Amino acid sequence: MKLTKTLLATSALTLAAGAAFADAHMASDMTLVSWGGAYQASQTKAYSEPYMAANAGVNIVWDESSAEAVAKLRAMNESGNITWDLVDVEAADAIRLCDEGLAMEIDHDAMLAAGNDGSTASDDFGDSIISDCFIPQIVFSTTVGYRADMVGDNAPDSICAIFDTETYPGKRALNKRPLANMEWALLCDGVAKDDIYDVLATPEGQDQAFAKLDTIKNDVIWWSAAAETPQLLADGEIVMGSTYNGRLFSAIAEQGQPIGMLWDAQMLDFDGWVIPAGLPEDRLARVLDFVSYATDTQRLADQAAYISYGPARASSAPLVGNHAELGIPMAPHMPTDPNNSKNVFVTQYDFWADYRDDLDAKFQAWLAQ
Amino acid sequence: MTDATTDAGKLTTADGQSLKKSLHRALRRQKVRALMLIAPLLLFILLSFIAPIFDMLLRSVENDIVPDTIPRTIVALDDWDATSGETPGEEVFAAFYTDFAIAEEYKSHTRLGSRLNYELTGISSLFRSTGRKVGKFETESYTEQFTAADAAFADPAQWAAWMADDAVRAALPQTADAYDAWSKIVVDLNNDVPSEEDPADFVYTGLYNDLMAGASVASIPSVDVSGWEPVSLREQFIDANDGWADPAVWATIKTYGGDYTSGYFLNSVDMQLSGEGVTQRPEDERIYITLFVRTIILSIVITGSCILLGYPIAFLLANLPLRSANVLMILVLLPFWTSLLVRTSAWKVLLQNQGVINDILVWLHVIADDNRLELINNATGTIIAMTHILLPFMILPLYSVMKTISPSYVRAAKSMGANDWTAFWRVYFPNSVPGIGAGSILVFILSIGYYITPELVGGTKGVFISNRIAYHISSSLNWGLAAALGSILLILVLALYWLYDRIVGIDNVKLGG
């Protein structure tokens, strides 16, 4: 009797040890960096909670620093102490980090899961792999929301409503960075859509954009966190403001705010993960395990049940269903839905990767004046 | 010691040593013991306070990223006249090509671009876009022609053997220099062995340049390169991005080529170092003087509002019976104990356009609904929120000073015929001035470096210089400029402190007692 017990216990221990051994080369703690708010909540629900449930003992911590990811990764690199394991960034930032050697290059087919339809990861992600370091996640857009009750019957249908303070008096909220603002300014100043980035690459074009922004400078509240615009709209502080479409979706559909959505000239962009360069082996092994799980077909489709961002994998699209809590179909709220994408402005991440430093400096100086 | 004797006019102790020496030793022992006692604190302050400040001050003049990343270019630029208005010649571009190709491998060209972008906007994109093209320059043709001319040039082991030979190295300086840098890249970045890898194009370009300059070495196969079609690196760079044709770019590189620079300090007072010496920045880039002035003016206004609001409260606190004074004191301290962010956010709710204060004023028909007061996202918001947050720092020193003013002074004045006002103004107030001084210094120095409240309620017109410092530390990563701005702020505070000492006298400042 005693012997059987001992034997049983030993074999149980051996099994446990075996399981532990399989994981021994992986770190158990992981710090993920994202954008906070509704977006990060969707990632928690779709990726990290199921992952932690499947891998007992793994502890995931979130940091809401994606907006300063480039600066912080540079600083970490300089001090030689990399505390982040996986960072959620926009396409242009991924290119910048890759250029600077701060993000690890990814072998997409070897490191990521294949599509559930049998396609290789790189085929499944297709064009969304905009950099060797980029692990695509979602398609999102920067767009404008307005207070439906403050514009009366005259709901705006063009992006240039931002610059039209006569028809739409009141404050506007815009991003405290040049992205999207510069493009919209030129677009509304009569520059053809196809020429915008060529014009923006010249000092004269930049001055033209600033001159256009000057016309509304006193009517703008500048936001630095994407959650500010929905809040300001809810408070009635602003008549319209730019933010990411998923934030507006959650304010409209989940909170029932009287907010309308202006899809005109939405700035389409990719968002995804990068792995900081120079991670120790055990942490890297854990991150690769997580990221392969978190970007497989099902997980990307799952995320779309919480927030209206399109999954970056082609194979995830058919799996996008209803909102997890409200039960409404998500497809009509996606930036890529035909009704929403009548006039789409595709952000040129290459341009922003190269010109971000230049335009940031000018934009901040312009703001301070 | 007791039987110290006088011997030849010298005092000695019992053991025959001179009293002076003995005393000296005893004192020194005491000093060492005292030093040991304070050593932990002294070390702590040195390491955690003085050293970082010194490091920060150093960063404001440090510039070694430029000479470290493109050393060959800096040397080649020595002969180029920055005021000539002409793009540098082929030899500068040849040196720059080697530097740039190496920097691209280490990805340090982007960082150098960011650094130089602080001085001339546009350089960052120039470096980044060229970085993607520098590997595809036509210098490849040299590599092809060398390897076609003699198979030995295609043999990595042969290269390693040549470059180990001092005679070859001396005859082919550019080649040796490029090869060394290349082999370092191979070892550092790829963990490979140089003698097994094909040298990069820039090594062959170095060899071509050496041979064109007339070098000849017996141990390497002789190749006549004079007939080859030269690749103009100048044109290659300008083809990649026509920004390289702009002399201003090169003037910036030359001007900021030293290990140390005054550029950051000049930048923080809206000046710049250009080919023509120190000049004002272009008008649309001048912001720092405005911000310094705004910071000081707003800080003075905040200090003034704190005195106006704080003095009556402190007076009340000091003169009420203890029980009711304690209740009032708690009211003063309660916000002091509340989180700064909570208080600032509360002001947001109160001050915003559709906020509580505006709603009440509209309801009272003081203002029209379509003409609400702009109380937030401007300087007004900053003044209101910061006055509230810093008020306890004014009230507490005032209170502790007023508490020590004996009521008999005022009574004496009144008994001699002074009315209430005269008694207050001529007797009480002068006694409370040290409290005002202490409170003002505290509030002013705190507000001059305040950051989070202006950021949240200041919009663009109510932000301080500290917000720019924070921006440069955490977003633009221009630590040099942040350090220079911080140093200037530090000097400014010290200067104001000195001025205060000269006018009011620091002995007149009392925090109580």
Side-chain angles (χ1 to χ4, degrees):
Chain A
M1 188 66 196
K2 222 174 179 185
L3 186 71
T4 344
K5 249 188 182 171
T6 321
L7 272 175
L8 269 173
T10 331
S11 49
L13 269 176
T14 325
L15 268 176
F21 180 73
D23 273 355
H25 65 291
M26 289 193 198
S28 57
D29 291 308
M30 199 164 38
T31 306
L32 308 186
V33 185
S34 186
W35 300 87
Y39 177 57
Q40 189 175 307
S42 75
Q43 291 177 315
T44 314
K45 283 181 194 143
Y47 313 152
S48 67
E49 280 175 7
Y51 184 80
M52 283 200 279
N55 296 271
V58 174
N59 184 29
I60 295 180
V61 181
W62 289 88
D63 186 331
E64 303 184 359
S65 301
S66 278
E68 296 116 42
V70 177
K72 290 205 168 169
L73 279 171
R74 279 185 198 164
M76 284 184 196
N77 182 269
E78 200 156 302
S79 65
N81 179 22
I82 295 159
T83 57
W84 291 348
D85 295 293
L86 192 61
V87 189
D88 189 292
V89 290
E90 288 170 10
D93 283 348
I95 299 179
R96 286 208 290 168
L97 290 168
C98 211
D99 281 352
E100 293 178 25
L102 298 175
M104 193 182 96
E105 290 191 10
I106 303 289
D107 182 348
H108 291 84
D109 285 335
M111 293 175 179
L112 303 177
N116 71 341
D117 53 2
S119 56
T120 60
S122 52
D123 280 345
D124 203 8
F125 281 114
D127 291 340
S128 61
I129 301 178
I130 44 85
S131 154
D132 292 338
C133 304
F134 190 59
I135 306 166
Q137 207 182 136
I138 54 152
V139 180
F140 72 100
S141 81
T142 308
T143 182
V144 169
Y146 57 89
R147 274 291 288 224
D149 52 343
M150 281 163 79
V151 295
D153 300 333
N154 196 9
D157 58 359
S158 150
I159 193 69
C160 298
I162 297 177
F163 297 94
D164 185 357
T165 46
E166 267 174 41
T167 323
Y168 305 102
K171 297 267 182 193
R172 293 103 166 81
L174 290 176
N175 196 345
K176 210 175 189 172
R177 327 184 283 176
L179 259 76
N181 298 334
M182 304 292 275
E183 286 102 323
W184 286 336
L186 286 181
L187 194 67
C188 294
D189 205 32
V191 178
K193 206 159 110 182
D194 295 338
D195 301 338
I196 282 187
Y197 286 104
D198 294 334
V199 173
L200 206 50
T202 63
E204 299 77 30
Q206 293 160 11
D207 290 346
Q208 187 186 350
F210 283 124
K212 183 71 180 173
L213 285 168
D214 265 331
T215 60
I216 54 165
K217 195 174 179 182
N218 290 328
D219 298 302
V220 177
I221 295 173
W222 301 96
W223 57 264
S224 40
E228 285 177 52
T229 296
Q231 182 62 49
L232 288 165
L233 281 168
D235 288 350
E237 279 294 297
I238 53 173
V239 60
M240 61 180 76
S242 69
T243 186
Y244 308 124
N245 70 295
R247 309 275 174 157
L248 288 171
F249 167 80
S250 72
I252 298 168
E254 291 170 10
Q255 297 160 20
Q257 298 288 350
I259 298 173
M261 196 114 153
L262 181 58
W263 285 106
D264 185 50
Q266 52 158 320
M267 306 276 312
L268 220 52
D269 201 347
F270 291 109
D271 199 274
W273 301 110
V274 294
I275 303 175
L279 284 187
E281 226 163 273
D282 57 335
R283 277 167 65 192
L284 182 61
R286 170 61 69 196
V287 170
L288 285 174
D289 186 57
F290 172 79
V291 89
S292 160
Y293 170 85
T295 58
D296 69 9
T297 304
Q298 187 58 46
R299 248 44 62 183
L300 288 185
D302 285 351
Q303 195 204 8
Y306 297 99
I307 198 157
S308 59
Y309 295 133
R313 274 184 192 261
S315 64
S316 298
L319 299 176
V320 172
N322 293 343
H323 189 278
E325 281 137 31
L326 303 173
I328 53 170
M330 291 301 281
H333 299 282
M334 294 293 172
T336 42
D337 186 75
N339 275 325
N340 302 335
S341 55
K342 284 174 195 148
N343 183 19
V344 172
F345 199 114
V346 180
T347 310
Q348 263 194 30
Y349 15 82
D350 304 353
F351 172 86
W352 280 113
D354 281 357
Y355 284 84
R356 184 70 196 274
D357 273 350
D358 306 1
L359 286 174
D360 257 356
K362 280 199 173 185
F363 189 79
Q364 294 297 332
W366 173 80
L367 269 186
Q369 282 193 328
Chain B
M1 289 281 271
T2 43
D3 50 19
T5 51
T6 317
D7 185 15
K10 225 177 176 184
L11 284 169
T12 53
T13 52
D15 54 1
Q17 286 198 323
S18 95
L19 181 60
K20 201 173 168 191
K21 221 184 232 170
S22 175
L23 256 177
H24 194 69
R25 193 184 299 149
L27 274 176
R28 195 174 55 201
R29 212 176 298 136
Q30 264 183 12
K31 270 187 199 156
V32 169
R33 206 185 313 148
L35 199 70
M36 297 248 285
L37 274 174
I38 63 156
L41 180 65
L42 190 72
L43 269 177
F44 178 75
I45 289 184
L46 271 178
L47 288 179
S48 70
F49 193 66
I50 309 284
I53 287 186
F54 187 73
D55 183 55
M56 182 196 83
L57 291 176
L58 206 64
R59 269 184 189 275
S60 61
V61 290
E62 231 171 34
N63 192 46
D64 37 17
I65 180 170
V66 184
D68 282 358
T69 315
I70 48 169
R72 298 166 188 86
T73 316
I74 301 297
V75 174
L77 275 172
D78 268 347
D79 300 331
W80 176 69
D81 179 11
T83 53
S84 65
E86 278 168 34
T87 317
E90 201 61 59
E91 68 286 359
V92 170
F93 277 95
F96 188 58
Y97 169 66
T98 313
D99 281 334
F100 202 96
I102 296 165
E104 203 276 327
E105 291 287 343
Y106 287 104
K107 312 259 187 201
S108 57
H109 66 295
T110 55
R111 237 160 286 165
L112 178 64
S114 302
R115 159 69 190 98
L116 292 170
N117 198 58
Y118 304 146
E119 312 303 340
L120 186 71
T121 323
I123 291 193
S124 176
S125 54
L126 188 59
F127 271 76
R128 280 171 185 272
S129 62
T130 311
R132 253 175 246 127
K133 292 174 187 156
V134 75
K136 299 171 194 141
F137 276 9
E138 283 168 22
T139 47
E140 206 187 353
S141 71
Y142 293 146
T143 313
E144 282 161 9
Q145 290 177 86
F146 272 118
T147 48
D150 196 309
F153 286 112
D155 179 11
Q158 182 63 60
W159 268 99
W162 286 335
M163 288 301 142
D165 180 352
D166 282 338
V168 178
R169 294 181 67 91
L172 305 171
Q174 285 196 43
T175 320
D177 177 38
Y179 185 84
D180 288 347
W182 170 79
S183 55
K184 198 166 167 337
I185 293 170
V186 171
V187 175
D188 284 357
L189 296 181
N190 309 338
N191 289 323
D192 287 328
V193 184
S195 58
E196 291 167 8
E197 302 291 317
D198 291 329
D201 289 342
F202 67 84
V203 179
Y204 288 97
T205 312
L207 181 59
Y208 172 81
N209 290 339
D210 276 334
L211 294 178
M212 281 302 278
S216 71
V217 196
S219 55
I220 70 165
S222 97
V223 188
D224 180 20
V225 295
S226 59
W228 296 1
E229 193 184 333
V231 178
S232 165
L233 285 164
R234 191 167 178 234
E235 276 164 30
Q236 291 289 314
F237 270 104
I238 294 172
D239 274 353
N241 192 318
D242 55 14
W244 294 114
D246 182 1
V249 169
W250 293 99
T252 307
I253 295 176
K254 187 180 161 89
T255 316
Y256 293 94
D259 277 325
Y260 294 95
T261 178
S262 57
Y264 293 122
F265 274 102
L266 288 171
N267 202 338
S268 35
V269 289
D270 294 339
M271 309 284 255
Q272 64 184 357
L273 209 58
S274 64
E276 292 108 48
V278 179
T279 49
Q280 278 229 304
R281 289 209 151 237
E283 202 161 340
D284 57 348
E285 288 173 24
R286 286 181 216 156
I287 51 173
Y288 296 108
I289 296 277
T290 325
L291 279 172
F292 271 118
V293 171
R294 184 194 293 160
T295 306
I296 291 174
I297 291 180
L298 286 185
S299 297
I300 290 173
V301 173
I302 290 162
T303 313
S305 333
C306 280
I307 297 175
L308 282 181
L309 294 174
Y311 197 90
I313 297 174
F315 184 79
L316 211 61
L317 276 173
N319 291 297
L320 278 179
L322 202 59
R323 186 183 300 212
S324 31
N326 275 345
V327 176
L328 257 184
M329 194 58 160
I330 285 179
L331 288 182
V332 170
L333 288 176
L334 207 59
F336 199 46
W337 295 331
T338 318
S339 151
L340 177 71
L341 273 175
V342 172
R343 278 183 286 166
T344 308
S345 308
W347 276 114
K348 258 187 142 161
V349 176
L350 285 172
L351 294 176
Q352 61 185 4
N353 233 330
Q354 306 292 324
V356 179
I357 292 178
N358 266 312
D359 279 350
I360 291 175
L361 289 177
V362 168
W363 181 70
L364 290 174
H365 293 289
V366 177
I367 52 172
D369 195 15
D370 54 356
N371 193 22
R372 287 169 176 252
L373 298 176
E374 300 249 353
L375 296 172
I376 200 168
N377 293 324
N378 52 24
T380 322
T382 306
I383 292 172
I384 296 176
M386 280 185 58
T387 302
H388 168 239
I389 283 161
L390 295 175
L391 202 52
F393 292 98
M394 181 63 81
I395 294 177
L396 294 176
L398 267 175
Y399 168 73
S400 64
V401 168
M402 286 176 177
K403 213 49 192 157
T404 61
I405 303 173
S406 166
S408 55
Y409 295 168
V410 176
R411 256 182 264 144
K414 282 185 183 165
S415 74
M416 290 176 180
N419 61 16
D420 282 353
W421 171 249
T422 318
F424 167 77
W425 186 243
R426 301 284 297 277
V427 176
Y428 193 88
F429 182 77
N431 273 309
S432 66
V433 163
I436 297 183
S440 300
I441 289 192
L442 266 180
V443 171
F444 185 81
I445 289 177
L446 279 174
S447 70
I448 214 172
Y450 234 63
Y451 147 72
I452 193 74
T453 306
E455 181 72 34
L456 289 174
V457 298
T460 52
K461 296 282 177 217
V463 291
F464 284 5
I465 193 72
S466 41
N467 296 88
R468 289 305 288 183
I469 298 177
Y471 165 76
H472 285 307
I473 290 278
S474 66
S475 299
S476 80
L477 282 198
N478 192 348
W479 288 352
L481 182 56
L485 290 170
S487 306
I488 291 180
L489 201 59
L490 183 68
I491 293 165
L492 214 66
V493 171
L494 290 177
L496 286 169
Y497 184 79
W498 175 82
L499 204 70
Y500 183 90
D501 187 32
R502 289 298 299 269
I503 297 170
V504 184
I506 211 66
D507 300 338
N508 283 331
V509 169
K510 273 193 200 142
L511 286 163

